[in-house]
Amino acid sequence: MIYIVVLLVVALLAFGLARQSITYPDEDWHWMLVRNIFYKPYFMLYGEVYADEIDACGDDAWDNHLKYGVSISALNKSSDAGTCVPGHWIPPLMMTAFLLIANILLMSMLLATFNNIFVETDLMSKEIWLFQRYGQVMEYESTPFLPPPFTVIYHLWMLLRYARIKICNRSKKGAASLWKAKVFDFSLSKISPSICVKYYSVNIAWKS
């Protein structure tokens, strides 16, 4: 996104500098000139095009043509045409190109932002889905496999299994036996290998 902003600043600087130098060629140096380079072109990005300043010389010639009925070529040859700076027709053309390029860059920046948000959301949704699947599998793992009223048998079996684990824990093997013998298996072994691979790939991509 940064390179799009840089391109936008370059386009704004190019148009503002050319517009300022052509429209006001006889100005003395002042820091206000630097402000004028960016001031109006920046607000043009938001729709303020300063219509009365786009081509003031051409607008005056057209108004005089309509008011006095004099041809435009005759007005250009008259003394009033001397008030127009040389190349006064260039800033309107550059303004057209600037606004076109700026709008394209702004749309590109917007699309890039949306695409980045979509990719992050997609990765997050896959990770959440894998965690939810893991929770569902573990829920089935810890649920009695016998229907009521035979769940009592399952609970008795779990009680015996727990007692066996406690006895193994007190034996010579110690904690190693307890690690191998668990009441519930909450590892990823209950999930298919493809799901495990997908989980780790998504997790690594999300962290990176």
Side-chain angles (χ1 to χ4, degrees):
M1 186 185 301
I2 297 178
Y3 67 92
I4 298 179
V5 176
V6 172
L7 291 176
L8 186 62
V9 172
V10 170
L12 190 146
L13 175 62
F15 167 67
L17 185 61
R19 176 181 177 275
Q20 182 70 23
S21 60
I22 294 175
T23 307
Y24 308 101
D26 299 326
E27 293 290 335
D28 296 330
W29 161 251
H30 193 273
W31 285 107
M32 187 64 67
L33 298 178
V34 179
R35 171 257 192 190
N36 292 338
I37 291 175
F38 295 96
Y39 181 70
K40 291 184 178 179
Y42 175 76
F43 284 101
M44 287 179 183
L45 296 175
Y46 302 102
E48 179 59 60
V49 295
Y50 301 96
D52 56 337
E53 300 179 10
I54 294 177
D55 189 9
C57 185
D59 292 339
D60 292 339
W62 182 254
D63 292 339
N64 292 330
H65 166 69
L66 296 178
K67 183 177 181 180
Y68 301 108
V70 183
S71 63
I72 297 178
S73 58
L75 289 173
N76 291 332
K77 295 178 182 179
S78 64
S79 59
D80 295 336
T83 58
C84 296
V85 296
H88 62 86
W89 51 272
I90 297 179
L93 296 179
M94 295 190 64
M95 176 181 173
T96 303
F98 165 69
L99 292 179
L100 179 62
I101 294 173
N103 287 327
I104 293 175
L105 290 175
L106 289 175
M107 289 297 297
S108 300
M109 184 167 57
L110 183 64
L111 292 175
T113 303
F114 285 166
N115 184 61
N116 187 33
I117 294 175
F118 173 78
V119 171
E120 292 181 358
T121 305
D122 185 58
L123 290 175
M124 188 183 301
S125 63
K126 289 181 179 179
E127 187 172 2
I128 292 175
W129 177 82
L130 290 172
F131 273 113
Q132 290 178 347
R133 179 177 174 83
Y134 172 80
Q136 186 177 15
V137 172
M138 293 303 102
E139 181 181 358
Y140 279 107
E141 169 68 14
S142 59
T143 301
F145 56 86
L146 294 176
F150 302 106
T151 54
V152 178
I153 300 175
Y154 174 81
H155 290 301
L156 290 176
W157 176 74
M158 292 299 298
L159 182 61
L160 293 175
R161 186 177 180 183
Y162 177 76
R164 183 177 65 85
I165 292 175
K166 297 296 288 184
I167 294 173
C168 291
N169 188 30
R170 295 177 182 178
S171 64
K172 296 180 180 180
K173 295 182 180 180
S177 300
L178 181 62
W179 177 258
K180 295 181 180 179
K182 298 180 180 179
V183 179
F184 298 108
D185 185 9
F186 289 104
S187 64
L188 293 176
S189 61
K190 299 296 181 181
I191 305 178
S192 62
S194 60
I195 297 296
C196 295
V197 172
K198 185 182 294 185
Y199 165 75
Y200 285 115
S201 62
V202 170
N203 195 20
I204 292 173
W206 173 253
K207 290 181 179 179
S208 61

